[in-house]
């Protein structure tokens, strides 16, 4: 991505990482919601053009690091953690950089809010019912990121948005597949209920490390859906503006993952699947 756009793109990626880490950092759902409230308020302030550096610091606005203080002061009427002249709650480097990126590249508020809303739903740990639920998750997070990447590169194209939607869905499916071992260790399952029922996969067996012989078939079916989305995005490649391709380079990472998964016979628990591809950065550069 060209240097002028790179800083804005980094801000969008950093924002997504901050949201993604919330679920793993909190022990209770309401604490996660407190953190997400901070980021929702941040986006509102940015788009309302409220100067972040002059926002008064009070405990009425939670920050990612003070949810415990919010709980301890609730109902006490105290405001011991807020002092006159204290730095703004919204003067974090990410907040300031994101504000600058939004104003310079006219980034759409919708995609940030979709990411926040989806991360909030994730706190409930409810197993998705069907592949359409996985794709909705992927659209809200990964496609939203790609839409913002296109905006960072000043691309306005329906065809590019269409390609970004397909690539984002493929990336979301890839993320779910790649995270299966991690989620199993934490007694969590994000695989569609329809597929676990179809292939007679018992979550408790998965949590204990017992992998059914039919499990690779489930992985294959999900990977096939991701491949379909990548193929549809490729069909649109010739109609994309020249500067759109660099924003959609994550498709290369997804395709590499699916190819390696096929070579491993769709065994997501194979240690080789967990290793980083040593030449992946070169492949991405070559695709650029």
């Amino acid at each position: 991505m060209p240097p002028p756009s790179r800083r804005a793109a980094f801000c969008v990626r950093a924002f997504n990482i901050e949201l993604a880490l919330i679920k793993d950092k909190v022990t209770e759902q309401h604490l996660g919601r407190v953190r997400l409230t901070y980021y929702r308020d941040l986006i509102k302030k940015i788009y309302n053009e409220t100067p972040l550096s002059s926002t008064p610091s009070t405990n009425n606005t939670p920050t990612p690091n003070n949810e415990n203080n919010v709980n301890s002061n609730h109902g006490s009427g105290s405001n011991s953690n807020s002092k006159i002249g204290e730095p703004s709650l919204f003067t974090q480097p990410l907040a300031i950089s994101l504000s600058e990126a939004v104003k310079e590249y006219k980034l759409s508020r919708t995609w940030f809010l979709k990411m926040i809303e989806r991360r909030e739903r994730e706190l409930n740990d409810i197993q998705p019912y069907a592949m359409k639920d996985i794709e909705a998750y992927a659209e809200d997070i990964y496609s939203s990121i790609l839409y913002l990447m296109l905006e960072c590169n000043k691309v306005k194209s329906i065809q590019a948005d269409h390609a970004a939607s397909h690539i984002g869905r493929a990336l979301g499916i890839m993320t779910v597949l790649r995270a299966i071992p991690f989620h199993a260790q934490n007694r969590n399952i994000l695989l569609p209920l329809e597929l676990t029922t179809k292939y007679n996969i018992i979550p408790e067996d998965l949590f204990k490390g017992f992998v059914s012989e039919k499990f690779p078939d489930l992985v294959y079916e999900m990977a096939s859906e991701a491949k379909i989305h990548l193929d549809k995005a490729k069909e649109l490649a010739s109609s994309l503006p020249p500067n759109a391709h660099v924003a959609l380079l994550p498709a290369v990472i997804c395709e590499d993952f699916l190819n390696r998964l096929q070579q491993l016979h769709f065994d997501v628990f194979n240690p080789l699947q967990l290793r980083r591809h040593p030449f992946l950065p070169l492949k991405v550069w070559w695709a650029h």
Side-chain angles (χ1 to χ4, degrees):
M1 186 167 286
S5 303
R6 200 173 297 159
R7 180 180 175 87
F10 283 154
C11 289
V12 172
R13 293 285 183 184
F15 182 80
N16 175 60
I17 291 172
E18 289 290 334
L19 297 182
L21 291 175
I22 288 175
K23 184 178 178 181
D24 295 329
K25 286 183 176 180
V26 300
T27 55
E28 298 179 28
Q29 288 184 20
H30 78 277
L31 297 182
R33 290 192 177 91
V34 167
R35 293 190 175 208
L36 288 167
T37 296
Y38 162 79
Y39 288 109
R40 187 178 286 108
D41 288 347
L42 171 62
I43 294 301
K44 289 178 181 177
K45 286 183 180 294
I46 288 174
Y47 283 91
N48 289 336
E49 297 186 349
T50 303
L52 300 187
S53 60
S54 63
T55 304
S57 175
T58 69
N59 267 349
N60 294 328
T61 308
T63 67
N65 299 314
N66 78 338
E67 70 269 18
N68 291 328
N69 293 333
V70 170
N71 292 335
S72 63
N73 291 330
H74 180 68
S76 66
S78 66
N79 195 25
S80 58
N81 292 315
S82 177
K83 299 177 182 178
I84 296 175
E86 189 179 66
S88 165
L89 300 179
F90 297 99
T91 54
Q92 295 182 12
L94 174 59
I96 295 173
S97 297
L98 192 61
S99 177
E100 293 171 352
V102 166
K103 292 172 183 176
E104 183 174 356
Y105 293 95
K106 305 296 188 290
L107 303 182
S108 301
R109 175 183 357 204
T110 301
W111 311 129
F112 290 109
L113 294 179
K114 274 185 174 290
M115 292 162 64
I116 295 171
E117 289 165 7
R118 175 56 65 172
R119 293 299 184 185
E120 189 166 19
R121 276 183 253 173
E122 276 189 314
L123 295 173
N124 296 322
D125 276 336
I126 298 176
Q127 183 180 3
Y129 179 75
M131 274 302 299
K132 65 179 182 180
D133 299 318
I134 296 290
E135 293 196 16
Y137 149 82
E139 174 71 25
D140 286 347
I141 295 178
Y142 297 96
S143 296
S144 292
I145 293 172
L146 293 180
Y147 297 145
L148 289 166
M149 293 294 105
L150 289 171
E151 292 181 351
C152 287
N153 223 27
K154 297 185 177 180
V155 176
K156 293 184 179 180
S157 164
I158 294 176
Q159 295 295 341
D161 287 345
H162 195 186
S165 176
H166 284 299
I167 294 171
R169 289 167 189 255
L171 288 169
I173 296 170
M174 177 197 76
T175 302
V176 171
L177 291 175
R178 191 164 56 180
I180 288 174
F182 170 79
H183 288 305
Q185 289 178 353
N186 290 277
R187 301 185 60 80
N188 194 11
I189 185 166
L190 295 180
L191 304 174
L193 181 60
E194 277 189 346
L195 294 186
T196 55
T197 302
K198 176 181 178 180
Y199 293 103
N200 196 28
I201 305 299
I202 302 173
E204 192 61 36
D205 289 345
L206 201 61
F207 299 158
K208 293 179 180 179
F210 302 124
V211 182
S212 166
E213 292 181 358
K214 294 184 178 180
F215 193 73
D217 295 332
L218 180 152
V219 175
Y220 167 77
E221 186 165 338
M222 292 184 66
S224 297
E225 289 294 323
K227 181 65 163 58
I228 289 171
H229 284 296
L230 281 184
D231 289 342
K232 288 181 178 178
K234 284 183 179 180
E235 292 172 4
L236 296 166
S238 61
S239 62
L240 300 182
N243 56 339
H245 293 275
V246 67
L248 302 177
L249 282 176
V252 177
I253 299 172
C254 186
E255 186 173 42
D256 177 80
F257 170 81
L258 294 176
N259 289 339
R260 287 194 294 138
L261 190 60
Q262 183 179 23
Q263 293 169 7
L264 296 172
H265 307 290
F266 301 97
D267 179 9
V268 293
F269 290 95
N270 190 313
L272 293 177
Q273 187 271 322
L274 301 176
R275 293 181 184 175
R276 289 186 178 274
H277 194 305
F279 300 112
L280 184 56
L282 184 60
K283 290 182 69 173
V284 173
W285 178 84
W286 185 259
H288 178 277

